[in-house]
Amino acid sequence: MIDALQKAFARLQEREAGTGASVCLWQGGRELCTLCTGESRPGSPWGRDTLVPIYSATKPASAACLLLALYDCCQGPELEVGELWPAFPAPHCTIGELLSHQSGLAAWDTSAPQGDLEACRAAIEKSTPLWGPPQHGYHPHTFGPMLDILMQELTGQRIGAYWEERVRGPLGLDFYIGLPPSEYGRVAPLHAPKLRGPLPDTPFYRAFFNPASPVYRAFHSVLGPDSAAEMSTPEAWAMACPAKGGVASARGLAAFYQALLGLLPGSPFPTEVTDWLRTPMCSGPDATLAEPTGFTCGAMYEPAELFGRGGFGHAGAGGCHAFCEPNSGLSFAFTMNDMEIGILPGERVRRLVRALRGDDAEKGCPAAPVVLQ
């Protein structure tokens, strides 16, 4: 398994100086390997402790925090949002349905700045849901403020503070939702994706570039850092947005899933929280992405070819990716700073997952320009 993954990883071609990547495997509470290639910045090798913004790969960690807070209050994802937040425009939507992108609030009727949670609350409360369960559509950005508000109602804290206190700090995970200044020097700046030819003429891209469409508004309702340049700033790293604000190494991201599976000593997650995150809530046509997806309470499990064998996890914009397989106790994470165009991972991640599954042994591929650490 590791040999096949190493051969597949060796085929990654970095396009310019200062770009690199890492892939990490854990199983049964033990780190199997971390592979690194390229540079975090010109002249600096990419190492096992290199951090990078992971965009939406943050979402399962944020959801796990909310689910853990619910568990501590003797509640579960079947609790209706209106029980905690009476002014929510879909009060009978359950927290599980919200976490699985069924609330219909992927786009708000008015925009609000990410850094002003009360402005986000007001925008949510004045919006009309575009659909309800069982229909689903990915909430790329609005997911974050909604989780922060629910966490505040439950605990008085926001997701980033709760994550630091209950999960990251005690376990020493190299995965931050709100990066402290002491770690800024380890972050690899992101490189914007290069457009090599026209974008596919698909329903998603047609809607994405149409300001009148709900899909466009889903990506623009929450105002704040989003581009590669904007996400490569201390302001973005410190903002602690639950939807896309994580900053992690591949090791830290893969280790999180080990904690979620209860395989790391001191893990705060009971089996109930793990079960909520692994149990499918919806699948089929996605009203935002215009292709089939499937979600649990905060994680993705479809398209199946991205999540190992019976696994769940989440992709991040530009190509980072992470998941775990509960039955095998395996977790996988891929991070990089040379971004690709697309919401779901492209061929480089798919090649790595195929190699991990044994579906693509990359026969004849030379095994060098990677560092096995």
Side-chain angles (χ1 to χ4, degrees):
M1 176 175 64
I2 294 176
D3 287 347
L5 183 66
Q6 186 173 0
K7 290 178 181 178
F9 187 69
R11 294 186 61 182
L12 296 180
Q13 298 297 315
E14 306 308 333
R15 291 197 276 265
E16 57 187 288
T19 64
S22 187
V23 65
C24 182
L25 283 183
W26 284 65
Q27 188 169 33
R30 183 171 67 92
E31 184 180 352
L32 300 183
C33 72
T34 297
L35 307 174
C36 302
T37 189
E39 299 175 316
S40 60
R41 61 190 72 232
S44 297
W46 191 287
R48 67 205 307 258
D49 63 347
T50 296
L51 300 172
V52 69
I54 59 170
Y55 284 88
S56 289
T58 312
K59 286 184 170 75
S62 299
C65 287
L66 182 60
L67 292 169
L68 180 57
L70 282 170
Y71 177 85
D72 286 345
C73 294
C74 301
Q75 299 286 351
E78 70 283 352
L79 183 70
E80 292 185 349
V81 176
E83 292 293 317
L84 295 176
W85 183 0
F88 187 72
H92 298 297
C93 177
T94 69
I95 291 176
E97 289 166 342
L98 183 150
L99 289 174
S100 55
H101 304 268
Q102 297 181 74
S103 79
L105 289 160
W108 301 338
D109 293 349
T110 58
S111 59
Q114 180 178 295
D116 188 339
L117 192 59
E118 288 310 304
C120 289
R121 183 194 288 263
I124 294 165
E125 292 175 357
K126 295 175 183 176
S127 295
T128 301
L130 297 176
W131 61 77
Q135 187 176 0
H136 75 280
Y138 185 48
H139 294 39
H141 297 165
T142 64
F143 188 91
M146 292 194 291
L147 264 63
D148 256 343
I149 292 167
L150 287 170
M151 180 62 86
Q152 276 194 331
E153 298 297 331
L154 271 171
T155 70
Q157 293 180 294
R158 294 177 67 165
I159 292 286
Y162 187 94
W163 166 258
E164 181 64 27
E165 180 181 307
R166 291 294 307 275
V167 185
R168 198 217 68 78
L171 295 178
L173 297 181
D174 210 18
F175 176 1
Y176 299 84
I177 305 176
L179 188 69
S182 60
E183 309 304 318
Y184 288 175
R186 295 199 286 136
V187 184
L190 295 170
H191 290 237
K194 305 297 188 298
L195 184 59
R196 305 175 189 280
L199 288 169
D201 184 21
T202 65
F204 170 76
Y205 282 112
R206 289 196 294 271
F208 182 84
F209 290 108
N210 177 4
S213 77
V215 172
Y216 178 92
R217 290 192 292 115
F219 287 88
H220 295 85
S221 289
V222 182
L223 307 176
D226 193 46
S227 70
E230 293 167 341
M231 293 292 281
S232 297
T233 64
E235 292 77 16
W237 306 335
M239 194 168 283
C241 174
K244 61 175 184 177
V247 181
S249 65
R251 291 181 69 239
L253 191 51
F256 157 66
Y257 283 95
Q258 291 290 294
L260 193 57
L261 295 177
L263 297 173
L264 287 188
S267 171
F269 298 113
T271 56
E272 289 85 349
V273 169
T274 304
D275 288 343
W276 294 334
L277 266 161
R278 70 181 292 187
T279 301
M281 289 287 292
C282 60
S283 66
D286 188 301
T288 302
L289 300 182
E291 60 180 289
T293 58
F295 293 94
T296 70
C297 291
M300 304 181 78
Y301 72 97
E302 295 281 0
E305 64 269 19
L306 289 175
F307 298 102
R309 300 187 184 278
F312 65 91
H314 216 287
C320 63
H321 190 57
F323 65 86
C324 64
E325 298 177 350
N327 293 336
S328 69
L330 184 79
S331 62
F332 164 100
F334 172 77
T335 60
M336 79 300 134
N337 67 339
D338 182 19
M339 298 180 70
E340 294 179 324
I341 292 172
I343 305 302
L344 295 176
E347 182 57 27
R348 62 184 174 185
V349 166
R350 293 171 188 265
R351 183 181 296 128
L352 295 175
V353 177
R354 288 197 300 267
L356 188 64
R357 292 168 56 106
D359 298 338
D360 186 1
E362 305 290 349
K363 294 181 180 179
C365 175
V370 301
V371 179
L372 177 59
Q373 299 180 322

